[in-house]
Amino acid sequence: MVSNKNTPVIELRNLTKRYGLGASEHYALNGVDLKIKKGEFVAIMGPSGCGKTTLLNILGLLDRSNDGEYLLDGKNVERLSSHRHAIIRSKHIGIIFQNFNLVPRLNVIENVALPLTYKGVSHTKRLEKASEILKSFHLSEREYYMPWQLSGGQTQRVAIARALVNEPSLILADEPTGNLDSKASHIIMRELSDLHKRGNTIIMVTHNPDLTSYASRVITMLDGHIATDTAMRKPKKDSSIKRPLHTAKEEK
Amino acid sequence: MRLLIGTHIANAYQSLTANRMRTVLTMLGVTIGVASVTAILALMDGAVNLVGSQINQLDGNIAVIRSGAHKAKDNFSLSQTQTQYSTTTLTEDDLLAIQDTKHLAAVAPLMNLRTSLRAYGETLDGTNHSVVATTPDLIKIGHIEIRDGQFIDSVSDANTAVVGPQLAIDLFGTEQAIGKTLRIRDQAFIVIGVLKRTNNPVNYNDVDFDRSVLVSLESGKAFTQNVAQIQQINLKADTKEHLPAVVASVKKTIKENHQGENDFSVLSGQEIAEPTSALFRGLSLTSAIVAGISLIVGGVGIMNIMLVNVAERTREIGIRKAVGASNNDIVWQFLIESLAISLGGGLAGFILGYIIALGASAILPFFPAFSWPIALTAFLISVIIGVTFGMYPAIRAAQKDPIESLRHAQ
């Protein structure tokens, strides 16, 4: 999926997600329009239940919208089969979770190599690649640890390594620091910030306003709508806290 | 399509060894089922081969004539038992008529009498022993050998007998029975020979020679008002090549004797063994099918444990889907796991089945036979059980919603 510079990595048109039926029906997403360009680091903020996690799940092709269009690299993916979705997830999307989600039975290197399995990479190649990426996260000496032998920060770094191993065009992070103390949080954020600087597109959902300082763009959501959309100045210092209050201008 | 078989196998190994006790107990269900089927089939083959191999040992130039029309090959029934009670259609006339057939090397009738035997104080009531009236040629075509003394012949006294070794022990307390006297219905016979032990109670003569007294046809007739009641006539052609010709001309001769009726059958080769083999096969297949029912229990065990497996690993399924596993990948992962259980159990069952069969052969007159069809049967049974009972849990695993699964507590 090579796209020209002007094609957004993600384009959402009037994306809608409903839950429930009849009287209990409510909208998790109510007509979301959004464009995200290659190389952006987008932080999505908002109160619980505003639909940000639902949005991320749909972006990650783990969920489907009821209405609207989702263009990934200029291609409409919303109505593809779940088999095609799995292939797209495998090739183009890396997901980082709040609760890390490493497979407890597998050791660190096998966890990192897992996405490559479904890409059809051979066993040896998988481990080589995983080892390489763990080295760049300074986790080489932890390769054969089991997930429960790692600290929270280390676990999340392993999870980030796993999200990156298949060289995705899009990295999705759902509250990546939600289960970490502030010190570990900043290490993780520096890693993500680093990835951003190397040209990766990152979309991060967070509760923590401190973390928006790492982002290049901050979106706040409310009741299934995008409330604000702010481009941030970069680079940021770790201490700076910025809360976007004004409505963003439309991205072009 | 990528199947990732190697990965799934490694995965199954890891997952199954992580819960060793559980895996072994689940396998046990399949093991017991496959073991019983294997043991029964192996013993069946052994029993079928028993009679068949005797025929083979006779250089393939033997034929037998039996009373009644020949049963169709695949039509197994218990009518063999019925023929025991029907009057034979074979007569002494038939025997005389075929004596001069070209290329016929030997011919011997078998007239089987069940009557009591006595010697000194000992009486045998005839339930386990038989008196067989025959001609001297039987030694050439009865698959028997003389250990001591001589076989009955045309020149020796009519009141002489040859005894089987077990009968000698039962009657005289020793196998050294030559010169001793036994009584059949108060008619005294002098033992002139003792047979070599055959350990073959099941054979194409339908006579356990170890427990028989052989007397001449003349002596035998004396007990049935001078009419020979011949159950079977054994034939031997001079060479294997001449057997079909001999069979054909014997058929023709006897048919003429019987006014054109086909109320007898001339069997050669494996046909001779067929009635016995068919009986064994029928009984064994019935018991194998009954034993196979236990496989369903094993299969249910697999399904049960796989459902537990899937439930326990809901989160893992979610993670795998999130990193790019398709539904097919998940189906294969769990299907291969259940196949690993059933194949492992099947292999153990196959080995255990032969151990049981060998153990059972200690009290049976034959050995279990090894054959590829049995191995194939065990293998196929295992695969079918694994797939049949593993499919539902695997599909359930694949259909799990990734978001729900990821939210699932570990």
Side-chain angles (χ1 to χ4, degrees):
Chain A
M1 282 200 193
V2 182
S3 52
N4 65 50
K5 279 246 161 67
N6 296 326
T7 316
V9 177
I10 286 172
E11 185 172 358
L12 304 180
R13 292 179 192 151
N14 194 30
L15 204 71
T16 304
K17 177 74 180 176
R18 281 187 302 274
Y19 287 108
L21 279 171
S24 67
E25 186 181 66
H26 81 279
Y27 286 82
L29 295 176
N30 197 352
V32 174
D33 294 295
L34 181 66
K35 280 182 187 171
I36 293 169
K37 284 194 283 192
K38 189 168 159 48
E40 282 193 288
F41 186 167
V42 180
I44 302 176
M45 301 264 303
S48 291
C50 69
K52 53 191 193 307
T53 298
T54 305
L55 178 63
L56 202 74
N57 285 338
I58 291 173
L59 290 179
L61 296 174
L62 294 173
D63 205 351
R64 286 171 190 271
S65 66
N66 300 107
D67 244 321
E69 279 175 48
Y70 170 16
L71 282 78
L72 181 68
D73 284 329
K75 215 176 123 190
N76 195 340
V77 294
E78 189 53 41
R79 300 290 159 231
L80 294 178
S81 69
S82 61
H83 186 74
R84 293 292 309 168
H85 276 182
I87 292 170
I88 294 171
R89 277 202 298 277
S90 160
K91 287 185 176 165
H92 302 290
I93 299 173
I95 307 179
I96 300 161
F97 301 92
Q98 174 176 8
N99 47 14
F100 322 130
N101 278 334
L102 297 187
V103 178
R105 282 190 302 114
L106 304 179
N107 64 28
V108 165
I109 194 163
E110 286 167 333
N111 261 293
V112 172
L114 196 58
L116 297 173
T117 308
Y118 298 109
K119 238 177 146 179
V121 180
S122 77
H123 186 70
T124 324
K125 281 259 174 61
R126 288 206 293 268
L127 294 184
E128 271 173 14
K129 196 91 187 291
S131 178
E132 211 173 278
I133 203 143
L134 280 169
K135 205 170 167 188
S136 73
F137 279 86
H138 307 290
L139 285 165
S140 287
E141 73 279 16
R142 298 279 190 274
E143 276 181 8
Y144 292 98
Y145 279 45
M146 297 308 283
W148 46 268
Q149 292 172 308
L150 303 174
S151 71
Q154 286 169 340
T155 311
Q156 192 61 300
R157 273 156 65 212
V158 170
I160 295 174
R162 183 181 64 187
L164 287 174
V165 76
N166 54 357
E167 293 161 358
S169 51
L170 179 63
I171 296 163
L172 304 175
D174 187 3
E175 306 253 16
T177 61
N179 283 2
L180 300 175
D181 58 41
S182 62
K183 194 171 161 235
S185 295
H186 282 285
I187 294 171
I188 294 302
M189 288 315 297
R190 268 203 295 275
E191 296 282 11
L192 288 177
S193 178
D194 227 43
L195 292 174
H196 173 224
K197 279 173 198 150
R198 278 186 267 152
N200 288 291
T201 313
I202 303 173
I203 301 172
M204 175 180 75
V205 161
T206 181
H207 263 113
N208 188 346
D210 291 8
L211 303 181
T212 58
S213 57
Y214 294 93
S216 66
R217 182 178 168 193
V218 178
I219 291 171
T220 49
M221 287 185 70
L222 196 64
D223 297 335
H225 293 286
I226 292 179
T228 69
D229 192 340
T230 319
M232 304 291 283
R233 209 141 283 164
K234 51 184 176 171
K236 292 288 146 216
K237 277 180 273 167
D238 288 0
S239 56
S240 67
I241 300 169
K242 189 149 273 178
R243 239 198 172 135
L245 291 171
H246 55 94
T247 313
K249 56 185 185 346
E250 182 68 5
E251 266 282 337
K252 245 301 96 128
Chain B
M1 197 182 113
R2 66 212 198 290
L3 284 178
L4 313 172
I5 295 294
T7 310
H8 290 320
I9 289 171
N11 227 312
Y13 176 78
Q14 211 163 20
S15 145
L16 294 176
T17 48
N19 283 306
R20 212 159 293 194
M21 188 64 176
R22 197 159 88 180
T23 306
V24 167
L25 288 175
T26 313
M27 279 183 178
L28 198 59
V30 182
T31 302
I32 291 168
V34 173
S36 26
V37 172
T38 305
I40 290 167
L41 292 181
L43 289 173
M44 172 190 90
D45 269 19
V48 169
N49 287 354
L50 182 71
V51 187
S53 66
Q54 291 168 12
I55 311 295
N56 291 341
Q57 281 168 22
L58 297 170
D59 307 325
N61 52 0
I62 292 264
V64 305
I65 308 167
R66 284 185 184 146
S67 164
H70 179 45
K71 285 189 289 284
K73 196 177 180 181
D74 54 340
N75 181 16
F76 98 85
S77 69
L78 300 180
S79 57
Q80 199 194 15
T81 337
Q82 289 166 14
T83 56
Q84 278 184 3
Y85 299 105
S86 59
T87 305
T88 176
T89 56
L90 300 175
T91 62
E92 206 175 354
D93 263 2
D94 296 335
L95 183 65
L96 293 170
I98 61 174
Q99 293 279 11
D100 301 324
T101 309
K102 237 173 121 187
H103 298 302
L104 188 68
V107 55
L110 286 168
M111 173 178 167
N112 198 344
L113 276 166
R114 296 236 158 187
T115 184
S116 61
L117 301 170
R118 263 200 300 280
Y120 308 115
E122 202 71 40
T123 305
L124 301 174
D125 61 8
T127 47
N128 285 324
H129 304 81
S130 47
V131 177
V132 179
T134 183
T135 59
D137 269 357
L138 186 69
I139 192 78
K140 298 179 199 161
I141 44 181
H143 202 42
I144 49 175
E145 284 173 74
I146 280 286
R147 202 192 65 159
D148 287 324
Q150 62 160 94
F151 200 66
I152 48 171
D153 61 26
S154 47
V155 294
S156 57
D157 192 292
N159 290 337
T160 54
V162 172
V163 296
Q166 191 55 47
L167 182 116
I169 290 170
D170 293 348
L171 208 54
F172 305 113
T174 171
E175 289 187 19
Q176 312 302 321
I178 292 184
K180 297 195 167 151
T181 308
L182 62 84
R183 284 173 178 278
I184 304 173
R185 282 205 205 152
D186 281 338
Q187 174 75 47
F189 288 83
I190 295 170
V191 176
I192 57 167
V194 179
L195 296 176
K196 215 177 202 176
R197 194 173 280 274
T198 59
N199 277 327
N200 248 343
V202 183
N203 58 53
Y204 65 93
N205 293 311
D206 270 340
V207 173
D208 180 2
F209 285 113
D210 288 352
R211 295 169 192 270
S212 299
V213 184
L214 305 180
V215 295
S216 67
L217 194 59
E218 286 308 313
S219 314
K221 272 162 62 183
F223 298 113
T224 54
Q225 300 185 331
N226 273 329
V227 177
Q229 303 208 339
I230 300 167
Q231 273 92 17
Q232 172 171 316
I233 300 171
N234 291 3
L235 300 175
K236 186 180 187 177
D238 52 6
T239 64
K240 202 172 172 176
E241 289 69 35
H242 287 139
L243 187 65
V246 170
V247 167
S249 84
V250 162
K251 262 184 187 161
K252 198 168 154 250
T253 312
I254 299 184
K255 200 170 172 180
E256 275 166 19
N257 253 9
H258 289 203
Q259 288 84 39
E261 290 299 330
N262 265 323
D263 55 1
F264 64 95
S265 42
V266 184
L267 310 174
S268 58
Q270 291 301 323
E271 281 175 349
I272 301 174
E274 203 50 52
T276 324
S277 304
L279 183 71
F280 276 129
R281 209 170 277 140
L283 287 174
S284 306
L285 286 180
T286 313
S287 17
I289 288 166
V290 173
I293 292 172
S294 65
L295 281 165
I296 294 173
V297 180
V300 170
I302 290 183
M303 190 189 276
N304 187 19
I305 225 65
M306 287 309 295
L307 285 172
V308 172
N309 246 333
V310 169
E312 273 181 356
R313 278 149 65 188
T314 301
R315 180 86 164 262
E316 179 186 325
I317 294 164
I319 297 171
R320 286 180 184 274
K321 283 191 159 189
V323 302
S326 68
N327 289 0
N328 282 342
D329 293 329
I330 304 289
V331 167
W332 277 107
Q333 180 187 340
F334 285 94
L335 201 56
I336 283 176
E337 208 167 303
S338 62
L339 265 176
I341 296 177
S342 67
L343 282 176
L347 180 67
F350 183 67
I351 294 165
L352 184 65
Y354 268 99
I355 293 171
I356 293 171
L358 280 170
S361 71
I363 54 165
L364 292 172
F366 47 85
F367 276 101
F370 178 84
S371 76
W372 287 111
I374 295 177
L376 191 69
T377 307
F379 176 75
L380 285 180
I381 285 173
S382 307
V383 170
I384 289 168
I385 292 289
V387 171
T388 311
F389 292 93
M391 194 48 108
Y392 171 67
I395 288 174
R396 234 171 93 139
Q399 282 174 347
K400 280 190 186 289
D401 175 54
I403 298 168
E404 289 286 323
S405 308
L406 286 168
R407 229 177 268 150
H408 200 272
Q410 199 78 54

